[in-house]
Each structure stands twice: as structure tokens, then as C-alpha cells.
Amino acid sequence: MTKLDKDKTLEPSVDGMADEILESEERFRLLSEATFEALIIHHQGTVQLVNKAFSTEFQYSQHEAQGMNIVDLVSVESKYRVLDNIESTENELYQVTAARKDGSTFPAQVHSKVIQFDGHSFRVASLRNLTSFFKAEEAIHRIEKRLIQLIEGLPIAVLLVDREGVPRYANAVFNRLFSVGIRNIGPGCKDGRLSESCRMFVKGTEDLYPYDELPTIKALHGETMTIDDMEILCKDRRVPVEVSSAPVRNATGEITYSVTVFTDITDRREAERSLKEAEEKYRSIFENAVDGIFQSTPEGKFITVNEAMAKLWGYDSPEEMIRSIDDVAQRYVNPWIRHEFKRMLEEQGTLLEFEAQVLRKDESRMWISVTARAVRDHEGNFSYYEGTLKDITERKFIQESLRESEGKYRTLVETSGDTITMLDPEFNILTINRQGVNTFGYDSMGEMIGISAGKLVAREDLARANENGRKVFESGTIRSYELNLKKKDGTLFPAEVSASPVMDASGKPASLVIIIRDTTQRKIYEEKLRKINAELEGYAHTVSHDLEGPSSAIILASDTLQLLLDMPASPKVEADIRQVVDTIGKNARRTSHLIRGLLDLAEAGQQPRIVSEVSIQEIIGSIEKERASEIEEKGISIDIKNDLGVIMASQFHIYELFSNLLSNAIKHNSNPEPIIEISSIRDDNRTVHRYLIKDNGPGIPDSLLDKLFLPFSKGSGGQTGIGLAIVDKIVKVYRGTVSAYNDNGACFEVAIQDMDPGRLNNPDAGLS
């Protein structure tokens, strides 16, 4: 804690108090009671008299204080100082730690003076409590510390000079900027060397800044000022600074300090330079721009326009255009468009590419595109509009032509029977026509936009589809390759695909146009055609080969019989005749069987004339009786697993269907213990009847599985190869399916539907 200097007296009235005490005790009492300080009169340390202020401060009554030793009124560490004062004959000002009656202490300043009274020496001591003083001093120190911290944190240089010109404080920024501490500035700033010490120059020259013009010096003479034409030499570069100085005055108005702030304005100077360059560039752009540049009032009067603006509107000069147009709305083909432009601009603040049609000087029409902003004054009112203007007449013509072309193209695309879609480089759908939405089973075009095209390709064909897509981007169009595609519900279908790249403005592929043709129906027709051709080939083969053999045998036997009949009768001739007749009979029966098969095959695909409820169980029983001898001979067991139910159908068709399937199972089952199982399979659709005919024979050769139901496809031991083809035709009449596979023997799975009697009148009902 800082002690007060001894030459500073807080309450000088004590000096003259002793003589008054000698003159009158009453006057002393009145004076001592009026003072705010504690007064003590003691003789050789023994208290003789105290005032009320003492009693208030020390908590002793005046009566209690009389006779006390004065050293009992201070702390232990202050007792020796008090004793020294008692022994001294000098007047003294010193500090002690005073002690109250309750033991609490407080810092105090004591002013002690010796007086003579009635031939004795007394000391009069005035005592002031310094607690508030020290608290105030501590608060000032804290404020000073925070102020210094604040100044040190500022990005500006600060210099404090007293009234004698002696630098008293400089912050860290000052030291860095000037590369010199306040000790190196000199003993004072009034010796004329401040500019030299701090290397202060007039901007753009090698001249030191004039001493008399320095803001620091001006401030010491009472002026407040700011300059920005000074440069500081900092290491190897000149730093432009803005300097502001102001005088600091005490309570009486005297100048005690000058405070100077130096701000590095390098960035500002650079900004000013850039602004100047920008203004020059703007002026160059304004005067040489191809587009029109303008400023206009909200009322439609042009304030300024550039040369290009005037030429676009057909005027000879900017001045002529400004002079000729008082309200630009009158030059709009539709004046209300100008009002709409104004409304939108003032609502939004800026407007991009606003299009309108205007009239040139010669009354010809021009389409313009305006980009503008609204500028407000300091009160927030719209002052003027400024912006740029382009002539887009040619572009509008092209857009209109393109719109017509796009309309024709859109009509073509939307009415196409093929799927037409466009993909981005990542093969995501950009657009697709209505046919495509329907083909893939989606609800809307929006549902398909953005999805990956790979989602529409069967897994086994995805790699090939991606490879072809990359080839199109790299090499160009690929036409007519086949893929299996996938609908939204997962259904697969065959398709023929063509792809072509769409180029951007630089000639690089930007997207793909894909044309997809669903070939499901074509595949069906091709399969039908293949079967028809196979049937025709089978017919031809049967007629030319299978029927030719028996016919030739019959002719040969007939010729032989004729020769034998011309021979004399004998047992040998008779035996030969019998053999020839037997040959003729066998070949005639074989020919009849082939013809019967051809007729059955032809009739199998025909719509029945009459349908009724047919019991499958009864049909199986009839077939078992017909084939009883063959079944018994091979030891075949026929096992009906469950109720086979009834079906609405032609009894002839159902008999032929199961007869051919059972005949096939009987004929080809070479198991020592042959079994044929017949069962009904449950189907969720009650109108669909599903059956499984399974044997435990060697199964179907893999080479025959894919052509088993083609007419005249014969395996080992087969006869005509017509039976399973008849099954296939009958099943299709009933809108069903038949399939064959191996599972510890040959398995045939049949699914047929009830024949609706209403379909009997439909001539195409049997087609599939």
C-alpha cells in the first residue's frame, strides 16, 4: 500500500489549533467537536483529551480514553513508530495501523504537533482513517490496469506525452510500428527532434514531417486534430498512417498530457487505390460495353446511358436518348409491363433478366432483357434504378422456333409406341415419355425422374447394359441390342434397345437418348412361328418319311402278293401269301396311327364345341382300363395322392391330355418297380386347376427338355413325337401352362383354367 508523502497535509487546520487551546478550553472543545478527524491531546503518551470523532472511530468514550497510553491505540507493529514520535520534539506526519476497542484495525495518517500549556509540553495529534483513500487508490490502479490492457489490445499505436514534452507511455503497437521505445525518442518532444526520432515523413517525399505541424505538438498547445499525410519508416518500408491527437486537461482545465493515436492505413490506401482502378475500369466498361448500361428515375426518366444503350435503341448519342425519352414506359409495347418491372424491382431490390418488348426510335420492335437493382437514398426512399440491358430479339426468335420444334418433337415422343428416355452421364433418368411410364409399370413420369436406369435392367444383363452405355459415350450410337428389362413390380420382359449420345455446346456427350421397344409380343409370335414351322417340318417329315415307309412296304407287299397269286398253289406259296398279307396289315395300321395322330394334333388346338364338368378321377380310371394290359405287363403302380376334383372343359380334351401324359410315363419308365403318381396342387385362384404327374423312371434327357413339347420331337423308343405336342396345344386352349423337369424321375406340371361357356362363341378364344 502506497504511503502518503510527509509534506502532504490532509487537514492543515491543526497547525493553528494549539494557540487557540491555550486561549480557551471552550473554544477548543467547540472546534474539536466540529472536525471530522479524531483529535488526541496527550502528555508523554498519556491521553489527556479526545473529541467525539475519536470516540466514533475508536469506539472508546471520552471518559474511557482519558488516561490511556497512546500506544494502546495502535497495532503492535506501529507502537515503536508512535514511541519515536513521543520522544521527538518535531512536528511529524506519519502513518500507523490504528486499533479500535473491538480489536479491529484500520490504516491511519497521524499529524502530530508539540504545544506548550501551563509550562508543560503536550502533543496534539489529528488522525485520519485512510481506508477509503486506499480503496479509492486501489480502484484507480485497477481502472488504470484495465485501461492499459484495453489500449494494449487495440490495433492502433498510442503515445502519451506530458505537458513538459516527456513521453510517459507507448503501447506495444507503437513500439512495433516505430521500431523504437519511448526511452529512445529522447528526453522530450519539445526539442524539435520528434520527427527524426520516430522517422516521420511527409507522404510521398523524403522530407521529415514539420515539427510545428505534428499533431502531438499541436495538442500540447490545446488543439485537437487529425492528419493522414504522414508516413512512418518501419524497417525497410514506408507505412502510411492516420494521426489523431488531443490534449488531456486536469480539473482546473490545465493541459497535463497530449494523447496521440497512430493508425496504419495501408489497407485503406490499398482500397483507395483499388477503388480508383475500379472506377477507371468501370468508366472503361461503361463507355465500351456491348450491352446497354443505364440509370433511370422511378418515374422513367433516364439519368445516364452509355453509347451501346443509345445505339441499341436507335439513337445517335446518349445525350439524344436522354433528351428524347421522358417516360420509358411509353416506349414499351405494353406499358403495363414497365409498371410490373417497377413493382417487382422495388419489392425484391434486384431483378434478373426481366424480359419485355420495346419500341426503338424508328418504332421497330426489340426484345430486351434487363438486369437491374433499386438504389435508395439515406432516408430509405427509392432514388434511382441502375442496370444493364441486352437486345435478345434474335434469341427470342430462336426460342420461338425451338418451342415450335420442341412441340412437334414432344408430340412425336409422346405418341410413340416405343419407350423414349434420356439419361445423364451417371445413367440416371432425366426424362421419359408416357409410353415408357406405362411399359415399366410406374404411376407417373415424376416417379421415374432421377432413378438409376440400372434399376430397370435384369441383374444378369446389368453389366452388359452399363458397358454399352459407356461405349455410346465414347464411340457413338449403338443400334438394336437386346436386353431383359424389369418393371416396377419385378416382372422381366425382353426388349430391343438403341442408344445415341446428345452433345453439348462443346461437342462432348452430355446425355444419352435411349429408345426401348418391348419385344414380348414379338417373342411370343416368334415362338409361335417357330413351333408352327416345327409342326410344318414335322408334317412334311411324317408325310415324306414316316408315311412313305409304310406306303412303300404296302406297295411292295401288294406287288409280291400279285406274283404269289399267279404261282401254283402249294403250302409254301400259301405261307408266303400269309406273310405278305401280315406285312400289308402292319404297315396299314402304322399308317392309320400316324394319320390319326396328325388329326388329333390338328384338333387339339381347337376350341371345344361343348364343355361340361369333367371328373379327372374318372378320366384317369378310363385310361387305366384302356391301358390295363400294358400296365399289368410292366407291373406299374398308379398312385392317386388326393382328390383330383372336376374341371369345366371338353371331356375329349381332358382325356387326350392325361392319356398322352400317362402313355409317356408308362412307355419310358424302366424302373424295376415302376410307380406313377398323380396329385392335385392347391392354387390360390380357384378357377385354376394344377396337377402333377410324376414317375420314378430315368427322367427326361437334358437334350430334350427345351423341345419336349414341339411336334414330332421323339426320344429313344418314341413313335410319332406328337403326344406331348397335343398336351401343349390343349393346355393353351384352357389358358394354362405345362412344364417338364426331373426330380427323381420325370415330372410334368399342368395348370389349366375352367372353360367359360361364354368363350365358346369367341372364335379367337383358343388362341394364346
Side-chain angles (χ1 to χ4, degrees), residues 468 472 476-482 496-501 513 515:
N468 284 341
V472 173
T477 300
I478 294 181
R479 300 187 184 280
S480 300
Y481 63 94
E482 293 189 347
E496 183 179 84
V497 181
S498 296
S500 297
V513 171
I515 299 177

Side-chain angles (χ1 to χ4, degrees), residues 123-143:
R123 274 194 177 272
V124 178
S126 67
L127 186 143
R128 171 172 287 185
N129 189 337
L130 298 180
T131 300
S132 298
F133 174 81
F134 285 139
K135 286 183 178 179
E137 189 177 57
E138 184 179 354
I140 290 172
H141 288 167
R142 286 198 301 269
I143 293 171

Side-chain angles (χ1 to χ4, degrees), residues 611-672:
V611 296
S612 60
E613 285 190 346
V614 179
S615 169
I616 305 300
Q617 195 101 4
E618 292 178 2
I619 292 294
I620 299 299
S622 298
I623 297 170
E624 281 188 84
K625 290 179 182 179
E626 182 181 314
R627 299 296 182 101
S629 59
E630 189 176 3
I631 292 171
E632 183 178 355
E633 180 183 347
K634 299 189 71 171
I636 295 174
S637 174
I638 296 179
D639 183 9
I640 298 176
K641 292 291 189 180
N642 52 15
D643 182 12
L644 301 181
V646 296
I647 182 170
M648 182 67 71
S650 163
Q651 185 164 350
F652 167 76
H653 278 162
I654 300 305
Y655 182 89
E656 285 294 309
L657 189 153
F658 282 97
S659 176
N660 280 289
L661 290 174
L662 288 174
S663 295
N664 189 74
I666 293 169
K667 187 182 302 180
H668 297 288
N669 194 338
S670 58
N671 193 299

